[in-house]
Amino acid sequence: MEGAPLDTAVFTTEAAGRLDKLLADAFPELSRSRLQQVVRAGGVSVDGVVVAAPSTKVKAGARITLQIPEAEPARPEARAIPLDIIYEDDALIVINKAAGMVVHPAAGHHDDTLVNALLAHCGDSLSGIGGVRRPGIVHRLDKDTSGVMVVAKTDQAHQALSAQFADHGRSGPLRRAYLALAWGAPPLPRFTIRKALARSAHNREKIVVVGEDRGREAITHVSTLKSWTTQTRHAREPVATLLRCELETGRTHQIRVHLASQGHPLLGDALYGSGFMSRAAKLTPAARDALEQLGRQALHAEMLGFAHPLTATPMRFEAPPPEDLQRLLRALDEPGA
């Protein structure tokens, strides 16, 4: 196995079953595929005997020893991928990230990420800043969220920008605003969502609202920009609302989860708005077609403000919504919407 063991665990099985299934039940924080890799690499023994087949049947009461090797971080390769650069100097680069672009290498995305593009654009100067796999990255946007991002080009800039994001703008000029197109219409034109968030124990891809003692503080300030209604048999009914969401904290999926928890998930959000897919029937044919072409959550990082990491000069950058989101907004404005 490559790398020194990161951790060793020993446990006794209470029931019989496949080795990989027993390991997955005992270590829910590790994926079953990862555990299968460890087994095949010789990292698991049953009653003192190394077992290399994940499907091995294990008897109840067996003593299993698991050694998790420390992962060797893969060094991303530079790849010439076009970037929409809003601003750049010797310390940082501000980009308008396209929807569909993953920020840093992950499973299924090893050479088509923002990091790969940045390494090609900035050269060796970016390597290692903030870590091998995430050079220069101080914050991120979801794969299918478009908009403004800042990336550090030096260690000094990385440390200063990271400190601003960690402080959430409480003592500095950090500001983050998003455009979000949500189903329905919130009852108030302005409101704040304060709900702690944590990763779901049942679906590792999802973030869920939890009690304050179980999750991380998350605060989103929301204001209504525009609403659309449709005529029903008895009255006009709200269909969708364009919201401006300002983050006081920046948790994973924060806006998507917070709005869904209020009963207003984002249009196109298959992960948090699956129960609202039938709402598309209330849209005009043009709007339904535009939503289908969007094919992602209707979320765009419109504005980012921060202090320059070297000069402390306040900086503010904006990016208009991309064409796919603008097309949906235009379709909603058409007569009959």
Side-chain angles (χ1 to χ4, degrees), residues 92-337:
L92 57 86
I93 180 171
V94 179
I95 67 156
N96 180 16
K97 187 187 85 69
M101 174 176 274
V102 176
V103 171
H104 48 72
H109 295 277
H110 299 290
D111 61 358
D112 59 351
T113 71
L114 175 60
V115 163
N116 300 110
L118 289 168
L119 289 172
H121 178 79
C122 301
D124 293 338
S125 63
L126 195 67
S127 297
I129 299 171
V132 173
R133 291 179 61 83
R134 301 171 182 172
I137 302 299
V138 294
H139 71 123
R140 69 179 185 86
L141 298 177
D142 293 341
K143 170 179 174 285
D144 290 326
T145 298
S146 56
V148 186
M149 279 189 65
V150 61
V151 177
K153 295 172 67 176
T154 68
D155 281 322
Q156 183 180 359
H158 190 274
Q159 292 172 16
L161 288 170
S162 295
Q164 291 186 56
F165 278 90
D167 183 59
H168 303 302
R170 294 188 173 100
S171 61
L174 181 70
R175 297 291 182 273
R176 288 168 288 179
Y178 292 68
L179 293 178
L181 189 56
W183 289 113
L188 299 175
R190 290 183 177 83
F191 58 98
T192 295
I193 306 173
R194 299 174 183 268
K195 295 183 177 181
L197 302 176
R199 192 166 294 279
S200 170
H202 306 290
N203 182 349
R204 302 301 291 173
E205 293 184 1
K206 296 187 73 171
I207 304 298
V208 295
V209 171
V210 296
E212 293 183 4
D213 59 333
R214 295 174 49 214
R216 303 180 72 186
E217 178 188 40
I219 305 172
T220 307
H221 304 287
V222 185
S223 57
T224 297
L225 299 179
K226 186 173 185 178
S227 292
W228 293 268
T229 61
T230 186
Q231 183 66 51
T232 65
R233 181 178 302 178
H234 304 291
R236 293 201 67 84
E237 178 182 330
V239 175
T241 302
L242 181 63
L243 303 169
R244 179 182 174 87
C245 299
E246 297 189 33
L247 295 183
E248 186 170 323
T249 58
R251 309 305 182 196
T252 300
H253 298 181
Q254 179 173 316
I255 292 174
R256 299 165 64 187
V257 179
H258 269 177
L259 290 178
S261 73
Q262 301 292 106
H264 302 289
L266 299 182
L267 272 69
D269 194 339
L271 187 59
Y272 297 106
S274 58
F276 284 71
M277 295 303 182
S278 61
R279 294 285 185 96
K282 298 181 179 180
L283 301 175
T284 64
R288 286 198 299 272
D289 182 64
L291 177 57
E292 183 176 348
Q293 291 185 47
L294 182 71
R296 63 180 180 93
Q297 67 263 10
L299 185 63
H300 174 71
E302 178 192 34
M303 185 277 291
L304 176 64
F306 55 89
H308 192 280
L310 303 187
T311 67
T313 302
M315 309 186 80
R316 179 187 173 104
F317 301 96
E318 298 183 13
E323 176 56 27
D324 59 354
L325 186 52
Q326 291 195 41
R327 185 188 306 118
L328 177 55
L329 294 171
R330 290 195 300 268
L332 288 168
D333 283 335
E334 291 180 2

Side-chain angles (χ1 to χ4, degrees), residues 6 16 42 61 90 235 278:
L6 179 64
D90 291 339
S278 61

